C-alpha cells in the first residue's frame, strides 16, 4: 500500500547550487555549449564523409551517410542507450543515491503479485480479506459476500485499469467523432477555411492549459458544466456529479476532454483524405443507383482507410501516454492515475528508478503489442490505391 | 434487381423535391457546424472570462460569461504572487526562459531534420531504407522509458537544472516526425534540378543551401510552426530537468503556481490568466500561419 504523500517533493529542499544566478548567467553557458555542439557535429559529419572516401565509398553514398550522422548519434545516445539502460535498471533497485543493486526479476514479480480473496460479508474490508501489503484493485460484491482482487503494487494496477479502458474507449470514439467532423466539413459549405481553423483550435492549445481549464469546467461546485446542467440535474432528481472525485465518473470526464481534442489533427487529416477521393467514383456509383449509405460504406471508408489507419495508430500511441492531463487533474486513490504519470512519479518523486523502469517496459510492450495488432489487422481493412509496397513502409 | 429499381425511384423522388430538401440539408449542416464551433469556443471563452474575475465572482451561482467588474489586474497580480514565493520569478523572466528554450530547440529541430531528411531522400546508399524504418519505429517508444536513463546521463554530465537537456539535443534530429515530413517533401523535387547544379560544379553544401532550402521553404515553415508549438507547450522535459523556479518556462511555472499557491483553495482566476498567457502566443501564431499548420499535419497524414 502506498503511504507516500501525493504532493511533490521536487520544490522542497533547494541546494546552494540551485540558487538563481540571474537570467543572463543561466542562458549564456547553455548557448555556448549549444554552439560548440553544433560545430562539433559539423566536424564529425565531415569526418564521417572523409573516412568513407578514404575507404573507397563513392561520393554520393558518403554524403548521404554523413548527412544522417546527427540522427544516428542522437539515436544511439538518447534513445538506444537509454532503452538498454532502462531494461538493465528494471532488474535493479536504484534510488539515485546508492549504486544500482541487481535484484533479478524482483521488480516484475512485485508488479505482478496479485492476490484473490473471497469476502465473507459485504461489510468486510478489502484489506482484511487480502494478504498483508496487498491493496485492493477490484472489489465485487455478490449477494452476502463477493470477492476482491488485490496487488502489491496496487497503484500500478489501478493505473492500468484506468489507462487501457481509457484508450479502448477514447480512441474509437475520437476516430468516429473526427470522421463526423471531417464529413461535415466536406459538405458544400461557405468559408471552409474559417471552419477548419476554428475546429483545429483545440489541437494547438497547450495541453496543460486545457487540462487546467477542463478541471475548472468540471469543478463540482461552480464549475461551468455543473452550473449549466443544474436545471437538468434538478429535473431528473440526480445528485450533482462530482466528476473527477467520483470513481465512476472520472474516466468519462477524461474521455470528454480527449474528445475535445479530436476536432483537431485527426479531422484535418481525414478531411484531406476525403478531398482526395476522385469524384468519378461517386459518379459511377450514382449511375449504378447506389444510395448514400452504400456509397459511404463502399467508397468513402475504403478510400479513407489509410488515413483512418494512420490516425488509429497515432491516437492509440498517444492515448496510452497521457501525461499533461494527468499532471494537472488529480483523481482519488481508488481511481488511480494514468500509467505515464505514475511512472514519472515513481521515478522522480519516489526515486524508485528500478520499479519505474520495469513499468516503463510494460508500457512499451503494451504500445508495441497494440500497434502490432493494428498493423496486423490493417491487411484486412486498409485499402491502398496502386502502390502497395511503398505504402506499407 | 428490385433494389436497383427501388433506389432508382427514390432518386427520381429526390430530384423532384430537391429544392426544399437541399434547404433542410443546408440548415442541418450549418446548425451542426455552429454547434461544433460553440463546443470549441465556449471552453475558451470560459478560460478568458475566468481570468478576469474576482474571487467572489468565481463562485457566483449561474453562468457569468462577462465579469463585472473585469479584473485585468489578475494578469499582473499572478506574477506578484509568484515573485513573493520565488523572488525574480517575473513575467519577463519566465517568458524569456520559455522563448530561450523554444527558439533554440526549434532552430535545432529544423536544421537537423532538414539535413537528415536530405540524406535520407536525395542520396542512394546501402542501409538507407533500413535505417529510415528504424527511425520511424522510434515513434512507438514511449518517451518516459528514455527519461530515467537520460536523467542519469545529464546528472553525470552535471547539467541537471540547466537548459542543456532541453535545447541542444535537438541538433540530433530528435523529432522523427519532422524528418519524415521533410523527406516526403524532398522526394517530390525532380532530380534534374540537382543534376544541373552538379554539372555546374556546385558542391553538396551549395546545392543544399542555394537550391534545396528555397525549394523546401513551405515545409520548413510548416515545421517551424509545429516545432515552436511543440516546444512552447512542452511540459514533461522541463518538469524533469529543472528545479529552480526562476528557471522554469511557462508550463512548469503554471504547475508551480498550482502546487504551491493554489493547493488548498484553487485560485482559478490566476491559473486561468496563466493559461491564457500561455495560449495567446500560440493562438496568434496559429492565426498568422494557419496554412502552414494545416499543411504540416496533412503531409504527415499522407500514407502512414
Amino acid at each position: 500500500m502506498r503511504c507516500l504523500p501525493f504532493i511533490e517533493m521536487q520544490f522542497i529542499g533547494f541546494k546552494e547550487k540551485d540558487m538563481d544566478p540571474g537570467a543572463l548567467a543561466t542562458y549564456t553557458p547553455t548557448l555556448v555549449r549549444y554552439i560548440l555542439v553544433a560545430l562539433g557535429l559539423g566536424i564529425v559529419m565531415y569526418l564521417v564523409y572523409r573516412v568513407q572516401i578514404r575507404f573507397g565509398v563513392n561520393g554520393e553514398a558518403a554524403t548521404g551517410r554523413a548527412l544522417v550522422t546527427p540522427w544516428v548519434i542522437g539515436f544511439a545516445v538518447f534513445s538506444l542507450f537509454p532503452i538498454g539502460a532502462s531494461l538493465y535498471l528494471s532488474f535493479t533497485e536504484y534510488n539515485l543515491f546508492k549504486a544500482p543493486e541487481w535484484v533479478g526479476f524482483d521488480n516484475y514479480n512485485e508488479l505482478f503479485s496479485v492476490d484473490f480473496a473471497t469476502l465473507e460479508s459485504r461489510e468486510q474490508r478489502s484489506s482484511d480479506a487480502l494478504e498483508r501489503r496487498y491493496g485492493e484493485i477490484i472489489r465485487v460484491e455478490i449477494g452476502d459476500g463477493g470477492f476482491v482482487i488485490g496487488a502489491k503494487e496496487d497503484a500500478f494496477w489501478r493505473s492500468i485499469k484506468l489507462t487501457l479502458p481509457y484508450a479502448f474507449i477514447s480512441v474509437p470514439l475520437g476516430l468516429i467523432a473526427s470522421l463526423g467532423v471531417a464529413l461535415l466539413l466536406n459538405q458544400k459549405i461557405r468559408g471552409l477555411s474559417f471552419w477548419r481553423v476554428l475546429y483545429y483550435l483545440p489541437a494547438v492549445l497547450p495541453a496543460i492549459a486545457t487540462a487546467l481549464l477542463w478541471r475548472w469546467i468540471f469543478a463540482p461546485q461552480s464549475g461551468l458544466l455543473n452550473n449549466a446542467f443544474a436545471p437538468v440535474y434538478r429535473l431528473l432528481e440526480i445528485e450533482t456529479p462530482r466528476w473527477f472525485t467520483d470513481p465512476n465518473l472520472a474516466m468519462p470526464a477524461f474521455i470528454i476532454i480527449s474528445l475535445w481534442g479530436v476536432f483537431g489533427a485527426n479531422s484535418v487529416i481525414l478531411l484531406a483524405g476525403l478531398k482526395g477521393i476522385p469524384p468519378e467514383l461517386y459518379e459511377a456509383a450514382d449511375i449504378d443507383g447506389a444510395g448514400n449509405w452504400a456509397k459511404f460504406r463502399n467508397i468513402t471508408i475504403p478510400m479513407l482507410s489509410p488515413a483512418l489507419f494512420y490516425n488509429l495508430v497515432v491516437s492509440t500511441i498517444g492515448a496510452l501516454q497521457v501525461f499533461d492531463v494527468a499532471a494537472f487533474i488529480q483523481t482519488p486513490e481508488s481511481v488511480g492515475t494514468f500509467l505515464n504519470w505514475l511512472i514519472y512519479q515513481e521515478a522522480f518523486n519516489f526515486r524508485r528508478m528500478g520499479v519505474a523502469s520495469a513499468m516503463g517496459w510494460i508500457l512499451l510492450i503494451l504500445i508495441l503489442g497494440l500497434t502490432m495488432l493494428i498493423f496486423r489487422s490493417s491487411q484486412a481493412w486498409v485499402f491502398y490505391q496502386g502502390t502497395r509496397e511503398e505504402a506499407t513502409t | 434487381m428490385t433494389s436497383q429499381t427501388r433506389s432508382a425511384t427514390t432518386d427520381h423522388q429526390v430530384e423532384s423535391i430537391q429544392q426544399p430538401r437541399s434547404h433542410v440539408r443546408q440548415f442541418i449542416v450549418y446548425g451542426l457546424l455552429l454547434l461544433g464551433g460553440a463546443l470549441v469556443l465556449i471552453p475558451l471563452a470560459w478560460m478568458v472570462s475566468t481570468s478576469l474575475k474576482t474571487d467572489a465572482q468565481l463562485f457566483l451561482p449561474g453562468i457569468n460569461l462577462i465579469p463585472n467588474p473585469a479584473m485585468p489586474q489578475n494578469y499582473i497580480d499572478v506574477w506578484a504572487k509568484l515573485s513573493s514565493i520565488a523572488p525574480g520569478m517575473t513575467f519577463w523572466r519566465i517568458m524569456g526562459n520559455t522563448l530561450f528554450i523554444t527558439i533554440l530547440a526549434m532552430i535545432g529541430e529544423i536544421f537537423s531534420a532538414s539535413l537528415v531528411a536530405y540524406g535520407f531522400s536525395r542520396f542512394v546508399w546501402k542501409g538507407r531504407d533500413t535505417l529510415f524504418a528504424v527511425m520511424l519505429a522510434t515513434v512507438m517508444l514511449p518517451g518516459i522509458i528514455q527519461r530515467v536513463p537520460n536523467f542519469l546521463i545529464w546528472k553525470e554530465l552535471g547539467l541537471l537544472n540547466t537548459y542543456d537537456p532541453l535545447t541542444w539535443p535537438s541538433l540530433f534530429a530528435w523529432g522523427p516526425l519532422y524528418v519524415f515530413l521533410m523527406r516526403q517533401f524532398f522526394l517530390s523535387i525532380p532530380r534534374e534540378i540537382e543534376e544541373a547544379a552538379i554539372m555546374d560544379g556546385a558542391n553538396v553544401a551549395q546545392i543544399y543551401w542555394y537550391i534545396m532550402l528555397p525549394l523546401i521553404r513551405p515545409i520548413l515553415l510548416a515545421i517551424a510552426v509545429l516545432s515552436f508549438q511543440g516546444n512552447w507547450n512542452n511540459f514533461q522535459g522541463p518538469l524533469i530537468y529543472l528545479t529552480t523556479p526562476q528557471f522554469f518556462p511557462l508550463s512548469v511555472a503554471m504547475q508551480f503556481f498550482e502546487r504551491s499557491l493554489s493547493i488548498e483553495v484553487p485560485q482559478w482566476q490566476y491559473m486561468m490568466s496563466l493559461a491564457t498567457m500561455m495560449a495567446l502566443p500560440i493562438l496568434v501564431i496559429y492565426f498568422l500561419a494557419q496554412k502552414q499548420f494545416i499543411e504540416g499535419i496533412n503531409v504527415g497524414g499522407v500514407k502512414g
Side-chain angles (χ1 to χ4, degrees):
Chain A
M1 288 275 282
R2 165 180 314 266
C3 13
L4 287 155
F6 188 80
I7 302 163
E8 266 143 281
M9 306 302 290
Q10 66 181 101
F11 300 131
I12 304 163
F14 294 133
K15 297 180 204 94
E16 271 304 303
K17 71 176 175 68
D18 291 338
M19 291 300 284
D20 172 33
L24 207 61
T26 53
Y27 298 159
T28 321
T30 297
L31 196 61
V32 170
R33 285 187 290 259
Y34 187 97
I35 294 165
L36 288 178
V37 168
L39 290 174
L41 201 56
I43 295 168
V44 169
M45 285 166 76
Y46 181 70
L47 287 177
V48 168
Y49 174 78
R50 291 304 315 172
V51 166
Q52 287 181 86
I53 295 290
R54 176 67 57 84
F55 282 97
V57 178
N58 71 45
E60 183 176 349
T63 318
R65 291 207 188 92
L67 283 169
V68 301
T69 306
W71 174 75
V72 174
I73 298 174
F75 174 66
V77 177
F78 298 115
S79 287
L80 206 58
F81 168 72
I83 293 282
S86 116
L87 184 62
Y88 165 73
L89 284 175
S90 76
F91 293 105
T92 64
E93 205 179 294
Y94 184 39
N95 62 3
L96 282 185
F97 303 114
K98 278 193 305 194
E101 187 189 332
W102 183 266
V103 293
F105 279 94
D106 276 10
N107 290 331
Y108 292 96
N109 273 341
E110 286 272 307
L111 286 175
F112 286 100
S113 295
V114 179
D115 183 32
F116 178 91
T118 49
L119 292 169
E120 276 138 33
S121 69
R122 271 172 178 272
E123 284 73 42
Q124 190 182 15
R125 284 170 47 194
S126 300
S127 52
D128 295 335
L130 291 164
E131 273 181 58
R132 224 164 54 83
R133 289 221 318 108
Y134 281 71
E136 171 199 305
I137 14 176
I138 295 173
R139 183 187 167 104
V140 178
E141 290 173 355
I142 314 162
D144 260 351
F147 63 88
V148 55
I149 301 172
K152 267 191 190 165
E153 294 285 343
D154 47 330
F156 169 70
W157 284 101
R158 276 194 297 268
S159 83
I160 295 270
K161 215 177 94 185
L162 178 69
T163 309
L164 276 186
Y166 167 82
F168 286 138
I169 300 170
S170 73
V171 171
L173 271 184
L175 217 52
I176 293 168
S178 55
L179 181 60
V181 173
L183 286 171
L184 191 63
L185 290 176
N186 197 37
Q187 303 296 316
K188 286 196 188 73
I189 49 169
R190 276 161 194 242
L192 170 66
S193 56
F194 165 78
W195 293 108
R196 198 167 49 182
V197 166
L198 181 62
Y199 279 97
Y200 187 60
L201 204 64
V204 297
L205 294 173
I208 61 163
T210 51
L212 257 185
L213 170 61
W214 279 103
R215 198 176 109 202
W216 168 222
I217 288 174
F218 276 114
Q221 262 96 49
S222 54
L224 178 63
L225 199 75
N226 280 356
N227 255 340
F229 283 99
V232 182
Y233 300 148
R234 240 173 283 134
L235 200 70
L236 298 173
E237 289 181 343
I238 45 175
E239 248 180 86
T240 307
R242 301 186 57 81
W243 299 108
F244 291 111
T245 44
D246 185 330
N248 297 317
L249 291 175
M251 174 134 48
F254 279 122
I255 290 169
I256 292 173
I257 296 180
S258 84
L259 286 180
W260 195 59
V262 304
F263 289 123
N266 286 354
S267 296
V268 172
I269 291 169
L270 290 176
L271 179 63
L274 283 174
K275 297 260 181 234
I277 302 177
E280 298 87 55
L281 291 178
Y282 290 111
E283 283 157 20
D286 278 334
I287 293 167
D288 289 343
N292 278 337
W293 172 249
K295 280 192 274 186
F296 178 72
R297 178 77 193 69
N298 297 318
I299 300 174
T300 313
I301 293 293
M303 291 300 286
L304 216 51
S305 57
L308 284 169
F309 170 70
Y310 173 85
N311 280 350
L312 185 62
V313 172
V314 173
S315 323
T316 308
I317 295 176
L320 291 173
Q321 297 189 64
V322 175
F323 187 84
D324 296 3
V325 170
F328 279 91
I329 300 178
Q330 287 90 354
T331 43
E333 220 193 81
S334 64
V335 178
T337 185
F338 285 96
L339 187 52
N340 206 3
W341 177 247
L342 181 76
I343 296 172
Y344 163 80
Q345 286 189 312
E346 291 289 344
F348 296 104
N349 296 342
F350 306 127
R351 304 271 184 232
R352 296 169 76 200
M353 298 290 179
V355 177
S357 301
M359 288 182 187
W361 268 83
I362 293 168
L363 176 63
L364 173 66
I365 288 163
L366 277 176
I367 291 175
L368 285 180
L370 280 176
T371 317
M372 293 295 179
L373 217 65
I374 299 170
F375 265 87
R376 273 285 169 80
S377 78
S378 74
Q379 278 153 1
W381 62 273
V382 179
F383 170 77
Y384 287 110
Q385 239 182 323
T387 56
R388 249 202 107 85
E389 303 81 358
E390 198 194 312
T392 44
T393 50
Chain B
M1 186 64 199
T2 44
S3 69
Q4 249 182 20
T5 43
R6 197 179 302 145
S7 51
T9 51
T10 45
D11 257 1
H12 184 71
Q13 282 168 354
V14 167
E15 247 160 60
S16 61
I17 53 163
Q18 196 154 37
Q19 221 37 45
R21 200 198 141 179
S22 81
H23 273 294
V24 173
R25 193 191 164 95
Q26 286 295 81
F27 189 74
I28 294 172
V29 165
Y30 281 103
L32 286 173
L33 279 173
L34 282 173
L35 180 72
L39 286 179
V40 169
L41 287 179
I42 288 173
L44 290 181
W46 192 242
M47 174 172 86
V48 178
S49 154
T50 304
S51 74
L52 296 169
K53 284 180 178 172
T54 62
D55 231 356
Q57 284 169 343
L58 285 180
F59 302 105
L60 285 178
I63 299 162
N64 309 288
L65 203 56
I66 296 163
N68 184 26
M71 294 287 290
Q73 190 66 27
N74 287 346
Y75 284 75
I76 295 160
D77 289 351
V78 66
W79 294 106
K81 280 177 179 284
L82 278 170
S83 302
S84 74
I85 50 166
M89 216 176 161
T90 59
F91 170 79
W92 295 111
R93 182 71 187 274
I94 300 298
M95 273 298 172
N97 297 344
T98 319
L99 278 174
F100 181 76
I101 299 171
T102 305
I103 288 173
L104 283 191
M106 185 180 82
I107 293 171
E109 277 182 347
I110 300 171
F111 196 66
S112 62
S114 71
L115 282 179
V116 172
Y118 189 38
F120 269 127
S121 57
R122 309 299 294 184
F123 302 87
V124 180
W125 43 280
K126 228 172 100 189
R128 183 184 73 170
D129 296 342
T130 319
L131 215 55
F132 186 68
V134 170
M135 194 186 77
L136 283 190
T138 59
V139 175
M140 281 186 288
L141 296 176
I144 196 82
I145 200 172
Q146 300 160 48
R147 290 288 188 201
V148 172
N150 272 331
F151 180 84
L152 301 176
I153 294 177
W154 295 109
K155 187 171 176 269
E156 283 306 306
L157 291 173
L159 293 174
L160 286 181
N161 202 24
T162 70
Y163 294 121
D164 290 49
L166 306 167
T167 51
W168 56 257
S170 65
L171 291 166
F172 296 89
W174 64 12
L177 179 72
Y178 299 140
V179 179
F180 174 70
L181 294 182
M182 291 238 196
R183 180 177 165 271
Q184 298 284 88
F185 209 87
F186 270 122
L187 287 176
S188 67
I189 298 171
R191 226 179 148 78
E192 289 81 49
I193 295 182
E194 257 163 309
E195 275 156 13
I198 294 170
M199 297 281 265
D200 293 341
N203 63 31
V204 177
Q206 284 167 330
I207 294 175
Y208 173 76
W209 193 257
Y210 292 111
I211 298 172
M212 288 300 164
L213 275 189
L215 281 175
I216 61 166
R217 246 183 68 174
I219 194 72
L220 276 183
L221 271 175
I223 286 173
V225 169
L226 290 176
S227 157
F228 185 92
Q229 179 213 10
N231 287 303
W232 180 275
N233 295 352
N234 184 11
F235 169 64
Q236 197 185 61
L239 176 70
I240 287 172
Y241 294 120
L242 300 175
T243 40
T244 304
Q246 288 86 352
F247 296 178
F248 289 163
L250 257 172
S251 55
V252 187
M254 221 160 106
Q255 197 222 21
F256 181 65
F257 185 89
E258 193 236 350
R259 290 284 153 95
S260 56
L261 289 161
S262 188
I263 192 96
E264 267 146 36
V265 185
Q267 301 186 317
W268 289 112
Q269 72 276 39
Y270 296 121
M271 286 201 279
M272 288 301 112
S273 65
L274 282 175
T276 310
M277 273 184 263
M278 192 171 170
L280 208 61
I282 293 292
L283 286 183
V284 170
I285 291 179
Y286 174 55
F287 285 118
L288 292 177
Q290 16 142 330
K291 230 187 92 207
Q292 277 77 25
F293 257 107
I294 308 269
E295 203 148 296
I297 317 152
N298 272 341
V299 179
V302 181
K303 286 187 187 159

